[in-house]
Amino acid sequence: MAEKKTKAIALPVEHDYKVVLEPVITEKTMALLQNENKVTVKVADFSNKDEIKASFERLYQVKVTDVKVINVLAKEKSRGGRYKGHIPGFKKAIISIAEGEAVDLFKE
């Protein structure tokens, strides 16, 4: 009887929750998730691709194939032309997941 060999992924540690912050939910990111099996998440400013990959694998127990990182710049906004404000910038990552695996971002 042939047994499947699966690589066990370690359990998450506290640092993982500081690296991967929250999912980015937009129409475009939902289309990426459904069509190309890619998840978009906000990540900490200090994180790099290797940290993001390891943390995401431990948090969601899936195999990550690729990580793309983007710095979203802050924007200035005006309200009615009179009041100035700003939208803060952040760092986000687009994470490609191996075929046959899935992530549930909307757990209850």
Side-chain angles (χ1 to χ4, degrees):
M1 187 161 64
E3 292 184 23
K4 268 189 181 179
K5 290 185 179 181
T6 58
K7 182 181 175 186
I9 300 173
L11 294 175
V13 294
E14 185 178 350
H15 180 70
D16 298 335
Y17 294 99
K18 292 178 183 176
V19 173
V20 178
L21 303 176
E22 63 188 35
V24 177
I25 308 297
T26 64
E27 289 181 21
K28 187 174 183 178
T29 61
M30 290 296 102
L32 276 174
L33 180 61
Q34 292 174 354
N35 301 334
E36 300 179 28
N37 211 19
K38 294 182 179 181
V39 180
T40 306
V41 292
K42 282 187 182 180
V43 294
D45 292 336
F46 60 82
S47 59
N48 60 31
K49 288 183 180 186
D50 295 330
E51 275 184 319
I52 294 167
K53 179 178 178 178
S55 294
F56 195 85
E57 285 180 343
R58 285 192 294 258
L59 286 173
Y60 292 100
Q61 299 294 309
V62 293
K63 177 77 173 119
V64 174
T65 57
D66 190 31
V67 177
K68 305 282 188 205
V69 179
I70 302 136
N71 285 314
V72 179
L73 300 177
K75 299 179 185 175
E76 278 195 11
K77 292 287 184 176
S78 62
R79 297 179 157 220
R82 183 172 182 179
Y83 303 105
K84 297 286 183 187
H86 72 282
I87 297 173
F90 60 94
K91 191 174 193 178
K92 72 178 178 181
I94 299 174
I95 301 169
S96 299
I97 300 171
E99 283 188 39
E101 299 197 41
V103 174
D104 184 16
L105 296 176
F106 305 105
K107 289 183 182 177
E108 292 185 41

XYZ file of all heavy atoms in Angstrom:
852
model
N 0.845 -1.171 0.000
C 0.000 0.000 0.000
C 0.893 1.238 0.000
O 1.721 1.415 0.884
C -0.874 -0.059 1.257
C -1.902 1.000 1.316
S -3.245 0.635 2.459
C -2.476 0.581 4.030
N 0.741 2.079 -1.005
C 1.560 3.281 -1.122
C 0.947 4.403 -0.285
O -0.244 4.662 -0.358
C 1.651 3.717 -2.576
N 1.782 5.033 0.490
C 1.307 6.141 1.320
C 1.783 7.455 0.729
O 2.872 7.547 0.183
C 1.843 5.991 2.742
C 1.273 4.820 3.480
C 1.777 4.784 4.918
O 2.169 5.837 5.434
O 1.794 3.699 5.501
N 0.942 8.459 0.874
C 1.325 9.796 0.413
C 2.311 10.407 1.386
O 2.119 10.349 2.599
C 0.097 10.715 0.355
C -0.590 10.761 -0.951
C -1.617 11.875 -0.897
C -2.384 11.962 -2.186
N -3.387 13.012 -2.124
N 3.359 10.977 0.843
C 4.309 11.688 1.686
C 3.931 13.158 1.698
O 3.924 13.812 0.659
C 5.733 11.522 1.159
C 6.270 10.131 1.319
C 7.708 10.065 0.899
C 8.258 8.670 1.085
N 9.662 8.591 0.708
N 3.595 13.664 2.860
C 3.255 15.077 2.995
C 4.235 15.725 3.953
O 4.611 15.128 4.966
C 1.818 15.263 3.528
O 1.707 14.591 4.786
C 0.790 14.720 2.557
N 4.617 16.907 3.610
C 5.535 17.656 4.455
C 4.723 18.379 5.518
O 3.802 19.139 5.202
C 6.312 18.659 3.613
C 7.326 19.439 4.391
C 8.053 20.424 3.512
C 8.975 21.267 4.351
N 9.594 22.332 3.558
N 5.017 18.128 6.753
C 4.305 18.774 7.847
C 4.786 20.222 7.971
O 5.984 20.505 7.929
C 4.545 18.033 9.148
N 3.833 21.123 8.086
C 4.153 22.537 8.249
C 4.052 22.871 9.732
O 3.111 22.465 10.409
C 3.199 23.412 7.416
C 3.330 23.050 5.934
C 3.505 24.888 7.628
C 2.324 23.721 5.031
N 5.024 23.600 10.233
C 5.077 23.936 11.651
C 3.889 24.802 12.066
O 3.240 25.444 11.238
C 6.384 24.665 11.955
N 3.630 24.823 13.345
C 2.554 25.653 13.886
C 2.998 27.120 13.936
O 4.193 27.412 14.056
C 2.189 25.175 15.286
C 1.574 23.776 15.358
C 1.383 23.373 16.798
C 0.255 23.737 14.618
N 2.035 28.055 13.856
C 2.410 29.475 13.869
C 2.961 29.916 15.223
O 2.602 29.368 16.263
C 1.096 30.195 13.550
C 0.016 29.217 13.794
C 0.608 27.863 13.658
N 3.832 30.918 15.161
C 4.377 31.537 16.362
C 3.907 32.983 16.405
O 3.316 33.492 15.459
C 5.923 31.459 16.380
C 6.390 30.021 16.484
C 6.522 32.108 15.171
N 4.174 33.653 17.495
C 3.684 35.023 17.690
C 4.194 35.975 16.609
O 3.471 36.861 16.163
C 4.114 35.525 19.071
C 3.559 36.880 19.415
C 3.966 37.338 20.800
O 4.516 36.533 21.569
O 3.738 38.524 21.096
N 5.418 35.782 16.157
C 6.012 36.651 15.142
C 5.220 36.617 13.833
O 5.118 37.621 13.133
C 7.467 36.251 14.895
C 8.162 37.094 13.870
N 8.498 38.409 14.105
C 8.570 36.817 12.607
C 9.087 38.904 13.030
N 9.143 37.957 12.103
N 4.623 35.465 13.506
C 3.853 35.329 12.266
C 2.658 36.280 12.241
O 2.305 36.815 11.192
C 3.367 33.892 12.092
C 4.510 32.917 11.977
O 5.611 33.347 11.564
O 4.319 31.735 12.302
N 2.028 36.478 13.387
C 0.879 37.375 13.469
C 1.299 38.843 13.347
O 0.481 39.694 13.013
C 0.122 37.159 14.779
C -0.522 35.803 14.858
C 0.079 34.759 15.561
C -1.722 35.546 14.210
C -0.504 33.513 15.627
C -2.314 34.298 14.265
C -1.707 33.285 14.978
O -2.294 32.047 15.029
N 2.572 39.137 13.605
C 3.076 40.500 13.454
C 3.512 40.777 12.018
O 3.594 41.930 11.608
C 4.251 40.738 14.400
C 3.845 40.739 15.848
C 5.032 40.936 16.756
C 4.603 40.870 18.207
N 5.749 40.973 19.119
N 3.805 39.738 11.233
C 4.242 39.894 9.852
C 3.038 39.999 8.912
O 2.921 40.941 8.148
C 5.170 38.735 9.429
C 5.480 38.801 7.951
C 6.458 38.790 10.223
N 2.141 39.017 8.954
C 0.946 39.007 8.107
C -0.184 39.643 8.916
O -0.636 39.069 9.904
C 0.579 37.569 7.688
C -0.683 37.573 6.851
C 1.719 36.939 6.920
N -0.630 40.844 8.478
C -1.571 41.595 9.287
C -3.034 41.297 8.970
O -3.791 40.901 9.847
C -1.292 43.097 9.134
C 0.128 43.528 9.504
C 0.323 45.005 9.236
C 0.420 43.201 10.949
N -3.454 41.509 7.725
C -4.861 41.311 7.362
C -4.982 41.167 5.855
O -4.129 41.648 5.105
C -5.710 42.481 7.846
C -5.336 43.810 7.218
C -6.061 44.988 7.838
O -6.308 44.974 9.052
O -6.372 45.921 7.088
N -6.056 40.513 5.394
C -6.241 40.398 3.944
C -6.727 41.718 3.348
O -7.382 42.514 4.022
C -7.301 39.315 3.800
C -8.008 39.288 5.090
C -7.031 39.740 6.137
N -6.386 41.953 2.091
C -6.883 43.115 1.347
C -8.071 42.614 0.531
O -7.924 41.757 -0.330
C -5.797 43.695 0.420
C -6.339 44.845 -0.392
C -4.596 44.133 1.239
N -9.274 43.150 0.826
C -10.494 42.673 0.185
C -10.991 43.732 -0.797
O -11.507 44.767 -0.388
C -11.593 42.381 1.227
C -11.078 41.457 2.325
C -12.831 41.818 0.554
C -10.663 40.095 1.865
N -10.792 43.473 -2.085
C -11.319 44.318 -3.152
C -11.827 43.391 -4.254
O -11.597 42.181 -4.219
C -10.243 45.256 -3.732
O -9.222 44.468 -4.339
C -9.631 46.157 -2.672
N -12.490 43.960 -5.249
C -12.959 43.144 -6.364
C -11.790 42.504 -7.103
O -11.838 41.344 -7.508
C -13.779 43.988 -7.329
C -15.125 44.398 -6.786
C -15.931 45.227 -7.771
O -15.655 45.160 -8.980
O -16.837 45.935 -7.321
N -10.727 43.256 -7.282
C -9.559 42.746 -8.003
C -8.879 41.603 -7.243
O -8.509 40.587 -7.843
C -8.568 43.880 -8.241
C -7.411 43.514 -9.125
C -6.562 44.716 -9.433
C -5.436 44.375 -10.386
N -4.625 45.539 -10.729
N -8.718 41.749 -5.923
C -8.064 40.692 -5.157
C -8.935 39.440 -5.076
O -8.404 38.325 -5.060
C -7.695 41.167 -3.741
O -8.876 41.549 -3.038
C -6.715 42.320 -3.797
N -10.248 39.590 -5.044
C -11.132 38.424 -5.036
C -11.065 37.682 -6.375
O -11.089 36.454 -6.426
C -12.570 38.828 -4.741
C -12.797 39.293 -3.316
S -12.508 37.993 -2.097
C -10.922 38.410 -1.465
N -10.930 38.437 -7.486
C -10.778 37.812 -8.798
C -9.443 37.056 -8.870
O -9.379 35.949 -9.416
C -10.856 38.858 -9.905
N -8.370 37.627 -8.315
C -7.080 36.945 -8.266
C -7.164 35.654 -7.458
O -6.591 34.632 -7.837
C -6.009 37.844 -7.640
C -5.299 38.841 -8.527
C -4.382 39.721 -7.685
C -4.508 38.161 -9.603
N -7.889 35.702 -6.361
C -8.036 34.529 -5.504
C -8.780 33.410 -6.230
O -8.364 32.252 -6.198
C -8.767 34.904 -4.216
C -9.011 33.800 -3.200
C -7.697 33.223 -2.719
C -9.797 34.335 -2.030
N -9.857 33.743 -6.928
C -10.664 32.729 -7.601
C -10.002 32.201 -8.871
O -10.021 31.000 -9.129
C -12.038 33.294 -7.945
C -12.882 33.558 -6.724
C -14.191 34.243 -7.061
O -14.413 34.613 -8.203
N -15.040 34.416 -6.061
N -9.439 33.092 -9.676
C -8.933 32.698 -10.988
C -7.493 32.185 -10.973
O -7.149 31.266 -11.711
C -9.038 33.862 -11.973
C -10.471 34.332 -12.137
O -11.405 33.573 -11.947
N -10.631 35.594 -12.469
N -6.632 32.798 -10.164
C -5.205 32.480 -10.213
C -4.651 31.909 -8.909
O -3.454 31.692 -8.799
C -4.416 33.732 -10.606
C -4.812 34.287 -11.956
C -4.034 35.532 -12.323
O -2.889 35.676 -11.853
O -4.572 36.362 -13.068
N -5.518 31.709 -7.911
C -5.113 31.157 -6.616
C -4.032 32.017 -5.950
O -3.028 31.508 -5.466
C -4.658 29.712 -6.769
C -4.944 28.888 -5.538
O -5.769 29.263 -4.707
N -4.270 27.768 -5.409
N -4.249 33.342 -5.959
C -3.326 34.288 -5.328
C -4.070 35.062 -4.249
O -5.186 35.515 -4.454
C -2.761 35.272 -6.352
C -1.873 34.623 -7.383
C -1.315 35.641 -8.339
C -0.410 34.991 -9.367
N 0.151 35.969 -10.294
N -3.426 35.222 -3.098
C -4.011 35.927 -1.961
C -3.252 37.225 -1.751
O -2.021 37.246 -1.804
C -3.926 35.063 -0.681
C -4.516 35.784 0.502
C -4.618 33.737 -0.899
N -3.982 38.319 -1.493
C -3.365 39.611 -1.236
C -3.562 39.964 0.238
O -4.693 39.949 0.728
C -3.995 40.699 -2.117
O -3.927 40.277 -3.477
C -3.263 42.016 -1.975
N -2.467 40.279 0.930
C -2.527 40.601 2.354
C -1.675 41.825 2.660
O -0.700 42.101 1.971
C -2.041 39.421 3.233
C -2.993 38.251 3.165
C -0.650 38.994 2.872
N -2.075 42.563 3.701
C -1.229 43.626 4.236
C -0.177 42.968 5.102
O -0.463 42.022 5.839
C -2.034 44.597 5.099
C -2.843 45.585 4.336
C -3.462 46.603 5.273
C -4.328 47.569 4.500
N -4.942 48.571 5.371
N 1.055 43.483 5.010
C 2.149 42.932 5.807
C 2.865 44.064 6.536
O 2.693 45.243 6.213
C 3.149 42.138 4.923
C 2.494 40.906 4.346
C 3.719 42.990 3.822
N 3.668 43.703 7.513
C 4.415 44.677 8.291
C 5.482 45.336 7.428
O 6.018 44.727 6.499
C 5.054 44.004 9.492
N 5.799 46.583 7.746
C 6.787 47.344 6.980
C 8.185 46.721 7.046
O 8.962 46.850 6.111
C 6.858 48.788 7.491
C 5.584 49.556 7.190
O 4.867 49.177 6.249
O 5.312 50.536 7.911
N 8.502 46.053 8.136
C 9.849 45.501 8.324
C 10.040 44.140 7.653
O 11.136 43.627 7.606
C 10.172 45.363 9.811
C 9.238 44.455 10.554
C 9.410 43.086 10.530
C 8.181 44.982 11.276
C 8.552 42.246 11.210
C 7.316 44.156 11.964
C 7.500 42.785 11.926
N 8.986 43.543 7.127
C 9.058 42.171 6.629
C 9.655 42.095 5.224
O 9.561 43.023 4.442
C 7.671 41.541 6.643
O 6.792 42.286 5.839
N 10.255 40.941 4.917
C 10.783 40.680 3.582
C 10.085 39.448 3.003
O 9.256 38.819 3.664
C 12.301 40.519 3.601
C 12.766 39.394 4.476
O 12.083 38.388 4.637
N 13.937 39.550 5.071
N 10.416 39.079 1.765
C 9.721 37.986 1.084
C 9.851 36.649 1.819
O 8.892 35.888 1.916
C 10.237 37.838 -0.350
C 9.794 38.936 -1.271
C 10.277 38.663 -2.678
C 9.824 39.764 -3.620
N 10.147 39.454 -5.017
N 11.032 36.363 2.317
C 11.250 35.087 3.007
C 10.419 34.997 4.286
O 9.820 33.962 4.583
C 12.730 34.891 3.324
C 13.577 34.752 2.072
O 13.049 34.248 1.055
O 14.757 35.147 2.114
N 10.394 36.090 5.062
C 9.590 36.124 6.283
C 8.108 35.973 5.973
O 7.387 35.254 6.665
C 9.772 37.461 7.013
C 10.939 37.543 7.934
C 10.970 38.866 8.666
O 10.700 39.909 8.059
O 11.268 38.837 9.869
N 7.647 36.670 4.936
C 6.235 36.624 4.560
C 5.854 35.206 4.150
O 4.823 34.681 4.571
C 5.937 37.630 3.433
C 6.133 39.056 3.932
C 4.530 37.451 2.894
C 6.177 40.103 2.845
N 6.688 34.564 3.338
C 6.407 33.208 2.877
C 6.317 32.239 4.055
O 5.358 31.471 4.174
C 7.500 32.745 1.902
C 7.285 31.340 1.391
C 8.361 30.945 0.407
C 8.151 29.510 -0.048
N 9.128 29.079 -1.018
N 7.295 32.278 4.936
C 7.308 31.364 6.081
C 6.119 31.611 7.007
O 5.460 30.661 7.452
C 8.622 31.518 6.837
N 5.826 32.862 7.279
C 4.713 33.191 8.172
C 3.380 32.772 7.583
O 2.525 32.204 8.269
C 4.691 34.692 8.461
O 5.826 35.070 9.181
N 3.167 33.031 6.287
C 1.901 32.675 5.647
C 1.716 31.159 5.621
O 0.611 30.661 5.874
C 1.846 33.247 4.225
C 0.467 33.246 3.637
C -0.402 34.291 3.887
C 0.034 32.191 2.845
C -1.677 34.296 3.356
C -1.235 32.183 2.301
C -2.095 33.241 2.563
N 2.785 30.421 5.338
C 2.697 28.960 5.334
C 2.322 28.424 6.710
O 1.508 27.514 6.830
C 4.013 28.339 4.867
C 4.232 28.439 3.382
C 5.534 27.821 2.915
O 6.438 27.584 3.752
O 5.644 27.576 1.704
N 2.913 28.994 7.762
C 2.599 28.521 9.110
C 1.193 28.923 9.534
O 0.501 28.136 10.176
C 3.624 29.057 10.105
C 4.958 28.329 10.017
C 5.847 28.661 11.186
N 6.253 30.054 11.199
C 7.442 30.509 10.818
N 8.356 29.674 10.388
N 7.721 31.787 10.886
N 0.754 30.119 9.183
C -0.574 30.586 9.604
C -1.708 29.831 8.908
O -2.694 29.452 9.538
C -0.731 32.086 9.336
C 0.006 33.024 10.269
C -0.092 34.451 9.775
C -0.559 32.923 11.671
N -1.594 29.616 7.603
C -2.689 29.035 6.828
C -2.455 27.581 6.425
O -3.313 26.981 5.775
C -2.957 29.894 5.589
C -3.533 31.240 5.951
C -2.735 32.375 6.001
C -4.871 31.378 6.265
C -3.250 33.604 6.344
C -5.412 32.609 6.614
C -4.591 33.718 6.649
O -5.123 34.936 6.996
N -1.304 26.990 6.790
C -0.997 25.593 6.520
C -1.138 25.235 5.032
O -1.752 24.230 4.666
C -1.901 24.682 7.370
C -1.743 24.872 8.855
C -0.378 24.458 9.369
O 0.077 23.355 9.093
N 0.285 25.323 10.102
N -0.577 26.088 4.156
C -0.577 25.857 2.713
C 0.837 26.029 2.176
O 1.690 26.627 2.826
C -1.534 26.831 1.966
C -2.976 26.562 2.330
C -1.166 28.274 2.214
N 1.087 25.519 0.974
C 2.387 25.654 0.312
C 2.386 26.914 -0.541
O 1.531 27.086 -1.412
C 2.637 24.415 -0.563
C 3.912 24.471 -1.361
C 5.107 24.189 -0.493
C 6.350 24.073 -1.372
N 7.342 25.053 -1.045
N 3.311 27.821 -0.300
C 3.437 29.078 -1.049
C 4.477 28.878 -2.144
O 5.576 28.380 -1.882
C 3.847 30.232 -0.110
C 4.122 31.487 -0.888
C 2.773 30.470 0.927
N 4.117 29.277 -3.379
C 5.056 29.129 -4.493
C 5.779 30.419 -4.839
O 6.904 30.385 -5.312
C 4.330 28.622 -5.747
O 3.277 29.515 -6.072
C 3.765 27.234 -5.521
N 5.142 31.586 -4.603
C 5.759 32.859 -4.986
C 5.204 33.988 -4.134
O 4.050 33.934 -3.693
C 5.489 33.144 -6.465
C 6.293 34.320 -6.994
O 7.413 34.546 -6.492
O 5.808 35.012 -7.894
N 6.024 35.010 -3.907
C 5.608 36.193 -3.146
C 6.051 37.441 -3.894
O 7.222 37.570 -4.257
C 6.222 36.201 -1.727
C 5.843 37.464 -0.973
C 5.801 34.974 -0.946
N 5.127 38.346 -4.155
C 5.422 39.651 -4.735
C 5.087 40.706 -3.681
O 4.032 40.631 -3.046
C 4.577 39.924 -5.985
C 4.670 38.868 -7.055
C 5.935 39.007 -7.827
C 5.892 38.049 -9.008
N 7.184 37.674 -9.462
N 5.971 41.697 -3.501
C 5.779 42.718 -2.472
C 5.638 44.087 -3.123
O 6.391 44.422 -4.043
C 6.954 42.720 -1.475
C 6.785 43.788 -0.427
C 7.081 41.360 -0.822
N 4.672 44.869 -2.637
C 4.398 46.193 -3.182
C 4.262 47.186 -2.029
O 3.582 46.890 -1.044
C 3.082 46.199 -3.989
C 3.163 45.182 -5.119
C 2.776 47.571 -4.548
C 1.935 44.370 -5.259
N 4.906 48.339 -2.148
C 4.701 49.421 -1.197
C 3.636 50.357 -1.751
O 3.837 50.979 -2.791
C 5.997 50.204 -0.954
C 6.956 49.446 -0.085
O 6.581 48.902 0.934
N 8.211 49.392 -0.499
N 2.512 50.460 -1.054
C 1.432 51.353 -1.457
C 1.717 52.705 -0.815
O 1.832 52.802 0.414
C 0.061 50.810 -1.006
C -1.049 51.757 -1.401
C -0.168 49.440 -1.600
N 1.848 53.742 -1.635
C 2.209 55.059 -1.133
C 1.033 55.756 -0.468
O -0.132 55.509 -0.818
C 2.737 55.918 -2.283
C 3.972 55.383 -3.004
C 4.335 56.290 -4.169
C 5.140 55.254 -2.052
N 1.338 56.650 0.464
C 0.304 57.448 1.122
C -0.260 58.459 0.135
O 0.427 58.882 -0.802
C 0.902 58.171 2.330
N -1.528 58.846 0.331
C -2.175 59.794 -0.570
C -2.759 60.944 0.224
O -3.248 60.758 1.332
C -3.323 59.117 -1.326
C -2.922 57.968 -2.195
C -4.151 57.373 -2.851
C -3.793 56.138 -3.642
N -4.982 55.482 -4.181
N -2.707 62.137 -0.371
C -3.382 63.293 0.221
C -4.778 63.391 -0.354
O -4.983 63.193 -1.543
C -2.610 64.577 -0.067
C -1.457 64.811 0.863
C -0.947 66.242 0.794
O -1.598 67.099 0.187
O 0.114 66.475 1.364
N -5.727 63.711 0.494
C -7.117 63.863 0.065
C -7.645 65.198 0.576
O -7.199 65.713 1.595
C -7.998 62.739 0.639
C -7.696 61.384 0.071
C -8.200 61.298 -1.341
C -7.987 59.912 -1.906
N -8.538 59.753 -3.216
N -8.590 65.743 -0.149
C -9.247 66.954 0.332
C -10.735 66.670 0.450
O -11.305 65.916 -0.336
C -9.008 68.120 -0.625
O -9.561 67.838 -1.881
N -11.367 67.267 1.435
C -12.792 67.084 1.659
C -13.498 68.387 1.326
O -13.414 69.350 2.085
C -13.065 66.690 3.099
C -12.435 65.367 3.433
C -12.699 65.004 4.859
N -12.570 63.559 4.964
C -13.365 62.807 5.677
N -14.343 63.349 6.374
N -13.186 61.510 5.717
N -14.139 68.395 0.194
C -14.859 69.595 -0.204
C -13.942 70.734 -0.600
O -14.373 71.872 -0.658
N -12.673 70.466 -0.849
C -11.732 71.491 -1.267
C -11.201 72.335 -0.129
O -10.340 73.179 -0.325
N -11.689 72.124 1.072
C -11.303 72.986 2.181
C -10.426 72.269 3.206
O -9.467 72.847 3.713
C -12.556 73.504 2.855
C -12.288 74.459 3.963
C -13.557 75.090 4.457
N -13.250 76.050 5.493
C -14.129 76.777 6.119
N -15.404 76.661 5.793
N -13.793 77.622 7.047
N -10.756 71.050 3.520
C -10.062 70.325 4.580
C -9.116 69.289 3.978
O -9.509 68.478 3.167
C -11.077 69.641 5.502
C -12.051 70.606 6.111
C -13.353 70.681 5.647
C -11.659 71.467 7.125
C -14.244 71.574 6.178
C -12.536 72.371 7.665
C -13.838 72.420 7.197
O -14.718 73.314 7.728
N -7.889 69.344 4.402
C -6.876 68.420 3.904
C -6.758 67.233 4.860
O -6.859 67.374 6.071
C -5.505 69.093 3.790
C -5.464 70.232 2.802
C -5.487 69.703 1.404
C -5.359 70.872 0.436
N -5.525 70.484 -0.933
N -6.515 66.078 4.282
C -6.300 64.871 5.059
C -5.387 63.955 4.283
O -4.925 64.297 3.197
N -5.122 62.801 4.822
C -4.277 61.854 4.113
C -4.710 60.419 4.408
O -5.306 60.135 5.438
C -2.806 62.052 4.458
C -2.443 61.604 5.829
N -2.713 62.350 6.953
C -1.850 60.465 6.266
C -2.293 61.694 8.030
N -1.764 60.552 7.636
N -4.409 59.546 3.459
C -4.620 58.120 3.616
C -3.231 57.515 3.801
O -2.362 57.718 2.952
C -5.312 57.524 2.373
C -6.690 58.137 2.215
C -5.387 56.018 2.468
C -7.385 57.760 0.939
N -3.003 56.799 4.896
C -1.653 56.280 5.140
C -1.258 55.191 4.150
O -2.100 54.466 3.629
C -1.748 55.720 6.556
C -3.187 55.462 6.776
C -3.939 56.451 5.947
N 0.025 55.090 3.894
C 0.552 54.042 3.021
C 0.751 52.756 3.807
O 0.724 52.743 5.036
N 0.950 51.665 3.090
C 1.197 50.377 3.721
C 1.935 49.479 2.748
O 2.125 49.817 1.586
C -0.110 49.720 4.193
C -1.105 49.464 3.090
C -1.153 48.245 2.446
C -2.007 50.455 2.705
C -2.064 48.010 1.432
C -2.927 50.233 1.701
C -2.954 49.008 1.066
N 2.369 48.336 3.232
C 3.062 47.352 2.410
C 2.121 46.166 2.227
O 1.497 45.711 3.183
C 4.337 46.905 3.122
C 5.285 46.080 2.302
C 6.561 45.850 3.120
C 7.677 45.299 2.277
N 8.905 45.140 3.065
N 2.008 45.677 0.979
C 1.164 44.516 0.750
C 1.932 43.464 -0.033
O 2.919 43.771 -0.703
C -0.133 44.888 0.037
C -0.003 45.264 -1.419
C -1.380 45.563 -2.005
C -1.251 45.989 -3.454
N -2.550 46.301 -4.047
N 1.461 42.239 0.085
C 2.093 41.109 -0.603
C 1.035 40.331 -1.357
O -0.060 40.112 -0.848
C 2.785 40.204 0.408
N 1.378 39.924 -2.588
C 0.526 39.037 -3.366
C 1.197 37.666 -3.316
O 2.313 37.489 -3.810
C 0.361 39.543 -4.808
C -0.297 40.922 -4.799
C -0.461 38.547 -5.618
C -0.385 41.579 -6.148
N 0.513 36.715 -2.703
C 1.082 35.408 -2.421
C 0.434 34.369 -3.316
O -0.788 34.210 -3.309
C 0.859 35.053 -0.937
C 1.529 36.121 -0.064
C 1.379 33.672 -0.624
C 1.183 36.050 1.380
N 1.241 33.654 -4.099
C 0.756 32.575 -4.958
C 0.777 31.275 -4.175
O 1.792 30.920 -3.561
C 1.636 32.425 -6.197
O 1.621 33.615 -6.943
N -0.345 30.551 -4.228
C -0.488 29.300 -3.494
C -0.403 28.142 -4.481
O -0.850 28.253 -5.624
C -1.824 29.284 -2.738
C -1.859 30.459 -1.761
C -2.021 27.977 -1.994
C -3.171 30.673 -1.118
N 0.172 27.034 -4.050
C 0.330 25.854 -4.902
C -1.025 25.341 -5.377
O -2.042 25.521 -4.698
C 1.055 24.762 -4.135
N -1.016 24.720 -6.559
C -2.256 24.170 -7.115
C -2.804 23.077 -6.209
O -2.053 22.319 -5.612
C -1.994 23.592 -8.504
C -1.870 24.647 -9.567
C -1.815 24.032 -10.954
O -2.535 23.053 -11.204
O -1.038 24.547 -11.762
N -4.132 23.033 -6.117
C -4.776 22.020 -5.296
C -4.948 22.428 -3.849
O -5.547 21.702 -3.070
N -4.427 23.588 -3.452
C -4.582 24.071 -2.084
C -5.419 25.333 -2.093
O -5.476 26.049 -3.092
C -3.216 24.345 -1.453
C -2.354 23.105 -1.381
C -1.210 23.262 -0.416
O -1.428 23.829 0.663
O -0.113 22.813 -0.752
N -6.092 25.604 -0.978
C -6.967 26.766 -0.890
C -6.860 27.393 0.494
O -6.484 26.734 1.463
C -8.405 26.365 -1.175
N -7.220 28.675 0.567
C -7.211 29.421 1.812
C -8.606 29.977 2.050
O -9.204 30.543 1.145
C -6.191 30.583 1.751
C -6.292 31.454 2.982
C -4.795 30.056 1.607
N -9.108 29.819 3.270
C -10.402 30.391 3.632
C -10.159 31.661 4.438
O -9.796 31.596 5.614
C -11.230 29.390 4.430
C -12.621 29.899 4.745
O -13.057 30.874 4.096
O -13.278 29.321 5.634
N -10.327 32.826 3.800
C -10.085 34.104 4.478
C -11.252 34.548 5.339
O -11.126 35.431 6.157
C -9.793 35.186 3.433
C -8.540 35.001 2.584
C -8.456 36.096 1.550
C -7.308 34.991 3.447
N -12.417 33.930 5.150
C -13.630 34.386 5.824
C -14.126 33.365 6.842
O -15.297 33.017 6.875
C -14.719 34.674 4.783
C -14.287 35.624 3.739
C -13.976 35.193 2.455
C -14.153 36.969 4.022
C -13.570 36.083 1.486
C -13.740 37.869 3.064
C -13.450 37.422 1.785
N -13.235 32.883 7.687
C -13.642 31.942 8.736
C -14.537 32.655 9.741
O -14.314 33.811 10.070
C -12.418 31.382 9.449
C -11.623 30.432 8.601
C -10.483 29.863 9.386
C -9.646 28.949 8.520
N -8.486 28.430 9.229
N -15.508 31.942 10.235
C -16.414 32.544 11.214
C -15.929 32.319 12.612
O -15.295 31.422 12.955
C -17.811 31.955 11.050
C -18.423 32.390 9.743
C -19.850 31.904 9.621
O -20.576 31.957 10.618
O -20.218 31.483 8.531
